[in-house]
Amino acid sequence: MYRVMVVEDEPPLIRDIRYEIERNSTLFQVTATAINGADALRKLEEETPDVLFTDIRMPVMDGLELIKAIRQKHPELPFVILSGYRDFDYAKEALKFQAYDYLLKPVSPDDVREVLIKLEAMLGERREQKKRAVLLSVLQGELISGEFSEALFAGQSLALLVAQCDGTSGMGANAMDLEAELASALAVPGAAIRVLSGRTPLEKIAIVEYNSRGYGDGDGDGDCDGYGDGDVDGKFAEREQLAIAMQHWLSGKSGSAVNVAIGEPRAQLADLSESLGFLRDLLRRRAEHGVSKLIRESETFEAAGGSSPVAVLTNERLSSLRSMVQLQQKSLFKVEMSSLIGEWLLARLPVPDFTSLVKRTLHAVGEGYWRREADIDSVVDECLEGVTSGETMSEFLVTRLENALFEESSASRDSPEGVVDKLDDYLIANCHRNFDPKELASGVGLTAPYLSKLFKLHRGMPLIEYLAYLKIEKAKQLIRSAPELLAKEIGELLGFSDPFYFSRLFKKFEGCSPSEYRKRLEKR
């Protein structure tokens, strides 16, 4: 429901306008009225409506003065001008202060309906953008606290589906387009489903919004247009179907196995971050490369039939091994691979399971880096055949892998510029996140100072400065493509908790503030 304030000095007209608004749309309700501008400002201190309808000519404080005062304290508040024919020039003056629309008195039902339809679309899009910004901050551990954030999700419960892909070869570089495509693929009647990118290109997070009757329609009005049987916790079957659809879609896009962890509904925003951490931990402990699984938050590891968590290769270790192969770091690869094989041997897995695990791991690690004549499965089978000692098998296998995975020369398969290019694609696709340079460097097997020097050499600026530059470039794109977004909202979408710092950084790169940049675009 959207709250409306009507400001008009004639009570009969207030009644007429209220009647037409509430008759033409169930989403708008007049929750406050005022007889002049001064009266309206007093009531705005108590409660801020979603939209304001105001007359032009009123005693004490007229509509134009009211609009000027509103723009100081409530710059986002849309208002609709009510004017008679003789006041039209006066109304045009008010439109200079960014009035959303105007209605001629006496108001007609058709005109009111047309204005409400446009307002509903605009307010709905604005609310959705704010919800996404809040959810993104919450999932990054930077909860936007206060009544505003809580009001956006009042009466709602949120459940997470966290997907982890084995690879991203077919997923492209535009994360925002991918999120929109996946959300569209998961769409079901009556459900509000949002998709966000995780902390790596391999992770996607779907957020399912419920209300007290089951799946919520996401407009905050407390109504449910589908699935509503009053049992939120009993909606696991539908949630599982969404997880299966998410798994199939991502698997088709990435050409890899996909594991999806299914979370339980959370009633508080602050609990979402905890839920995400728990689901990520489940994926680390239970996911296996080459195998697509659904992992339920409500299950324990033992209940799911898990034999030993040591037999599962974590995504962190796989990423590290891939980097070692890409950068041809033979000695580091030998130590890490020997350690892994030793852990798997200690788990006392059956021979078929052990063999399968080694093969799946090597396929995931070495895809695209094996020499053409090398056959992964044949290498593993030959190493395991007739070898009774685990130590001998480990040494033999790692030696064979070195010959198959690494060039004879010690030169890196990827040049320093190639490393920067690959990392650049990832940073551009995830510029809304705040990165730790040490973690980025570790992911490609380099030290943070050396990686920063590479960016200085190949991008013209150190890594920290380049990360800021990407955010500002994305901010400029958002200003051009989404003019309805405020600078503060754009900053929040890009991970800036301090709007003043965002504005200063923008000015450092562009020589002007975000608002000045927007005005320049409008003049073109």
Side-chain angles (χ1 to χ4, degrees), residues 109 120 125 148 195 235 242 388 398 421 444 446 489-490 512:
E120 179 185 341
E125 183 179 355
F148 166 74
V195 176
K235 287 297 176 183
L242 286 172
T388 56
V398 171
D421 288 340
V444 293
L446 303 173
E489 292 173 329
I490 291 175
C512 63

Side-chain angles (χ1 to χ4, degrees), residues 441-452:
S442 176
V444 293
L446 303 173
T447 64
Y450 181 63
L451 183 61
S452 187

Side-chain angles (χ1 to χ4, degrees), residues 129-231:
Q129 290 169 347
K130 290 177 179 177
K131 280 190 171 186
R132 286 184 67 87
V134 169
L135 290 172
L136 184 61
S137 295
V138 170
L139 295 181
Q140 290 176 344
E142 301 172 358
L143 176 61
I144 301 177
S145 59
E147 295 181 3
F148 166 74
S149 300
E150 297 300 332
L152 280 175
F153 297 95
Q156 309 294 304
S157 293
L158 301 164
L160 300 180
L161 304 175
V162 182
Q164 187 73 28
C165 307
D166 278 4
T168 60
S169 59
M171 294 174 70
N174 194 319
M176 296 181 71
D177 287 348
L178 193 70
E179 292 167 12
E181 287 181 36
L182 179 52
S184 178
L186 296 180
V188 292
I193 301 171
R194 301 172 183 87
V195 176
L196 299 173
S197 294
R199 58 188 176 188
T200 73
L202 299 172
E203 183 182 75
K204 299 297 173 188
I205 303 168
I207 307 164
V208 185
E209 185 174 348
Y210 294 87
N211 60 31
S212 58
R213 294 174 56 195
Y215 276 114
D217 59 4
D219 60 13
D221 61 3
D223 295 329
C224 178
D225 302 320
Y227 289 104
D229 66 0
D231 181 12

Side-chain angles (χ1 to χ4, degrees), residues 226-492:
Y227 289 104
D229 66 0
D231 181 12
V232 171
D233 290 331
K235 287 297 176 183
F236 178 79
E238 285 89 347
R239 213 155 61 247
E240 188 173 61
Q241 288 302 310
L242 286 172
I244 293 172
M246 186 179 189
Q247 187 179 63
H248 288 173
W249 191 91
L250 287 171
S251 181
K253 276 284 185 181
S254 66
S256 69
V258 178
N259 290 278
V260 182
I262 307 171
E264 296 297 310
R266 295 292 198 274
Q268 300 295 325
L269 272 176
D271 295 336
L272 268 191
S273 182
E274 178 185 358
S275 177
L276 177 60
F278 186 74
L279 295 174
R280 281 172 170 163
D281 185 59
L282 281 178
L283 286 169
R284 281 195 297 271
R285 290 189 288 112
R286 301 253 310 274
E288 291 187 51
H289 287 278
V291 178
S292 292
K293 288 183 178 180
L294 295 182
I295 303 170
R296 300 159 183 82
E297 182 178 357
S298 56
E299 291 182 356
T300 63
F301 180 78
E302 291 76 12
S307 56
S308 173
V310 75
V312 179
L313 176 64
T314 66
N315 291 308
E316 288 84 352
R317 295 188 82 170
L318 178 62
S319 177
S320 179
L321 285 168
R322 279 176 176 158
S323 295
M324 293 171 191
V325 174
Q326 290 173 343
L327 300 174
Q328 295 290 282
Q329 296 170 324
K330 186 184 295 187
S331 58
L332 290 177
F333 177 86
K334 183 174 183 179
V335 172
E336 181 67 8
M337 199 66 208
S338 298
S339 174
L340 269 176
I341 293 174
E343 292 176 21
W344 294 338
L345 289 171
L346 289 174
R348 299 184 180 277
L349 296 173
V351 172
D353 292 347
F354 177 85
T355 304
S356 176
L357 181 57
V358 172
K359 288 179 179 179
R360 289 204 309 272
T361 300
L362 296 177
H363 276 289
V365 170
E367 211 65 59
Y369 295 94
W370 290 85
R371 294 181 180 180
R372 290 184 179 179
E373 67 271 20
D375 179 356
I376 297 176
D377 294 345
S378 297
V379 170
V380 174
D381 290 336
E382 181 181 345
C383 290
L384 295 177
E385 186 177 0
V387 177
T388 56
S389 166
E391 184 177 347
T392 302
M393 186 274 294
S394 176
E395 183 178 349
F396 186 30
L397 178 57
V398 171
T399 300
R400 286 296 308 275
L401 291 176
E402 285 181 357
N403 295 332
L405 281 170
F406 293 87
E407 300 288 352
E408 292 181 1
S409 69
S410 59
S412 171
R413 195 179 188 91
D414 280 346
S415 66
E417 185 175 5
V419 173
V420 171
D421 288 340
K422 287 185 177 181
L423 190 55
D424 198 9
D425 290 340
Y426 172 63
L427 296 177
I428 292 172
N430 294 272
C431 62
H432 59 281
R433 295 177 49 209
N434 293 320
F435 290 102
D436 182 345
K438 290 183 179 179
E439 292 181 1
L440 289 174
S442 176
V444 293
L446 303 173
T447 64
Y450 181 63
L451 183 61
S452 187
K453 287 181 180 178
L454 288 181
F455 270 83
K456 175 70 173 177
L457 177 64
H458 297 289
R459 292 296 183 269
M461 60 186 76
L463 178 57
I464 291 290
E465 187 176 348
Y466 186 72
L467 292 171
Y469 163 79
L470 290 181
K471 286 180 179 288
I472 299 307
E473 287 298 301
K474 186 64 178 180
K476 289 162 58 180
Q477 179 186 334
L478 288 172
I479 291 173
R480 293 191 298 267
S481 62
E484 70 280 2
L485 286 177
L486 298 176
K488 178 177 182 294
E489 292 173 329
I490 291 175
E492 290 172 349

